[in-house]
Amino acid sequence: DQQVKQNSPSLSVQEGRISILNCDYTNSMFDYFLWYKKYPAEGPTFLISISSIKDKNEDGRFTVFLNKSAKHLSLHIVPSQPGDSAVYFCAAGFSDGNNRLAFGKGNQVVVIP
Amino acid sequence: KAGVTQTPRYLIKTRGQQVTLSCSPISGHRSVSWYQQTPGQGLQFLFEYFSETQRNKGNFPGRFSGRQFSNSRSEMNVSTLELGDSALYLCASSGLAPDTQYFGPGTRLTVL
């Protein structure tokens, strides 16, 4: 049972424009959400996270929005750069210290120069 | 600070064999988690070890096992390999909070 879902497996965006990635989850007990970025032949790299007590977290060009009532989060990348071309994974977990994350299947982002 | 290292990076085995993968966490990290990544299923949690004890376990058969040593290094073992075990196996080490999970480059296992 997929507890974290990422639809629209791939996204193409022009350099300088906004990339928006969406993620839905089913388990209302999740209280910590993360985005990871993955290049081929490398492990996922942590990008940004958000706790369920917040609805927005910003770090440079990356902003994550959380809508708890809709069990939905999104990642905004502004402006998109060619180096952002990668697979992005949404993950959900618990802030109790148990490191067990549920991942979505990923979104392939291609930024066109 | 050195990152998470995994050995070997690539492995080819045949059905029925067993395999052992190794993970060295970031210095000071006591938690090591293992994930399986396949094209169809994405990343799936296998298990987590903390202070040499299995703390969490995912929904994988008993053929998948692991252990952690006193220096926090971890090994994962898969016995009686099946074709469907072909995947990228990722190890992540972390402190106490989920946002400090740092992944290694993975071990690409191919079962023929």
Side-chain angles (χ1 to χ4, degrees), chain B residues 33-109:
Chain B
S33 300
W34 288 89
Y35 294 84
Q36 181 196 65
Q37 184 187 11
T38 57
Q41 297 298 320
L43 276 84
Q44 292 189 292
F45 175 78
L46 279 154
F47 30 65
E48 181 212 3
Y49 285 87
F50 181 83
S51 293
E52 302 178 65
T53 301
Q54 188 179 86
R55 186 160 71 170
N56 285 289
K57 188 176 189 306
N59 297 323
F60 278 82
R63 300 186 297 107
F64 292 82
S65 63
R67 60 177 175 169
Q68 187 180 34
F69 302 94
S70 58
N71 62 357
S72 294
R73 189 178 71 85
S74 177
E75 288 182 346
M76 189 191 105
N77 185 276
V78 188
S79 63
T80 319
L81 284 166
E82 300 177 358
L83 295 178
D85 297 334
S86 294
L88 179 68
Y89 289 89
L90 292 158
C91 160
S93 82
S94 50
L96 293 178
D99 69 336
T100 58
Q101 279 204 44
Y102 297 98
F103 282 84
T107 295
R108 172 71 64 185
L109 171 65

Side-chain angles (χ1 to χ4, degrees), chain A residues 36 43 94 97-100 105, chain B residues 31 40 55 57 94 96 101 104:
Chain A
Y36 282 85
F94 309 94
N98 279 301
N99 294 302
R100 175 183 183 146
K105 294 188 179 182
Chain B
S31 169
R55 186 160 71 170
K57 188 176 189 306
S94 50
L96 293 178
Q101 279 204 44

Side-chain angles (χ1 to χ4, degrees), chain A residues 27-48:
Chain A
N27 188 344
S28 58
M29 300 301 291
F30 288 136
D31 62 359
Y32 213 94
F33 306 90
L34 310 92
W35 285 93
Y36 282 85
K37 173 180 176 180
K38 187 178 183 301
Y39 293 118
E42 293 182 15
T45 302
F46 169 72
L47 209 53
I48 192 169

Side-chain angles (χ1 to χ4, degrees), chain A residues 64-84:
Chain A
V64 56
F65 296 92
L66 174 63
N67 182 333
K68 277 198 328 183
S69 60
K71 297 196 189 71
H72 177 85
L73 62 154
S74 62
L75 175 68
H76 292 208
I77 306 173
V78 183
S80 299
Q81 298 174 353
D84 296 332

